C-alpha cells in the first residue's frame, strides 16, 4: 500500500490527475489477463480485443 499512497501523493502534488484513468485501465486489463491465464473462457476474451 505504500507504493499506491506515494503515487497518489505524487499525482496530487504535481497535478497529474490525468494519470488516474490510465492507471485504472492498466490495473483492470492486468487483472483480466491474470484471471484468464489458464481458464476455459480465455479464447472468448481474446475475441473482444
Amino acid at each position: 500500500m505504500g507504493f499506491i499512497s506515494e503515487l497518489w501523493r505524487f499525482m496530487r502534488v504535481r497535478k497529474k490527475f490525468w494519470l488516474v484513468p490510465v492507471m485504472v485501465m492498466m490495473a483492470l486489463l492486468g487483472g483480466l489477463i491474470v484471471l484468464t491465464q489458464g481458464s476455459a473462457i480465455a479464447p472468448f476474451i481474446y475475441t473482444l480485443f
Side-chain angles (χ1 to χ4, degrees):
M1 290 304 284
F3 175 73
I4 295 171
S5 65
E6 187 175 335
L7 182 64
W8 175 251
R9 272 188 263 134
F10 168 77
M11 288 190 293
R12 192 178 62 210
V13 169
R14 304 270 186 198
K15 307 287 191 239
K16 303 272 186 196
F17 294 113
W18 58 270
L19 286 173
V20 174
V22 174
M23 295 296 191
V24 168
M25 289 306 296
M26 286 177 57
L28 288 175
L29 286 175
L32 183 67
I33 289 171
V34 167
L35 290 175
T36 61
Q37 190 77 33
S39 69
I41 58 171
F44 300 111
I45 290 178
Y46 290 132
T47 61
L48 294 175
F49 300 106

